[in-house]
Amino acid sequence: MNQFEVTINGTTLQLTAEDVVVMSTAMMEAMRNPSEKTFRKGTSGNIYAKVLNDQSGTQRFSKHSSAGVVETDC
């Protein structure tokens, strides 16, 4: 089993290749549900992910206005 040592801002993590895949999956799920903290079980322990600054809203909507439809009850 391949292991990686990753250091981010002085914090060092030892992760397996499977953990890296699980972390990626948790991050993608967090992007789909930005208000929720996601959870995945990795070989090194529990992996959680949450979007901190959701800027994806600008990508969800078109900047072009579309013609609206007004429905009335006759």
Side-chain angles (χ1 to χ4, degrees):
M1 175 180 347
N2 292 334
Q3 278 200 313
F4 299 91
E5 184 174 276
V6 180
T7 303
I8 302 172
N9 290 331
T11 301
T12 301
L13 302 172
Q14 291 184 348
L15 303 169
T16 65
E18 182 182 328
D19 286 335
V20 174
V21 173
V22 170
M23 182 172 26
S24 176
T25 303
M27 292 169 69
M28 289 188 321
E29 182 68 23
M31 290 296 291
R32 284 192 285 273
N33 300 299
S35 62
E36 298 177 17
K37 186 177 190 179
T38 63
F39 162 79
R40 295 289 181 275
K41 183 80 173 156
T43 58
S44 300
N46 297 335
I47 297 174
Y48 298 90
K50 183 176 181 179
V51 175
L52 295 180
N53 56 345
D54 180 24
Q55 296 177 351
S56 61
T58 57
Q59 298 172 355
R60 291 182 186 158
F61 301 100
S62 172
K63 292 183 180 180
H64 303 288
S65 61
S66 61
V69 176
V70 177
E71 295 183 18
T72 60
D73 188 357
C74 295

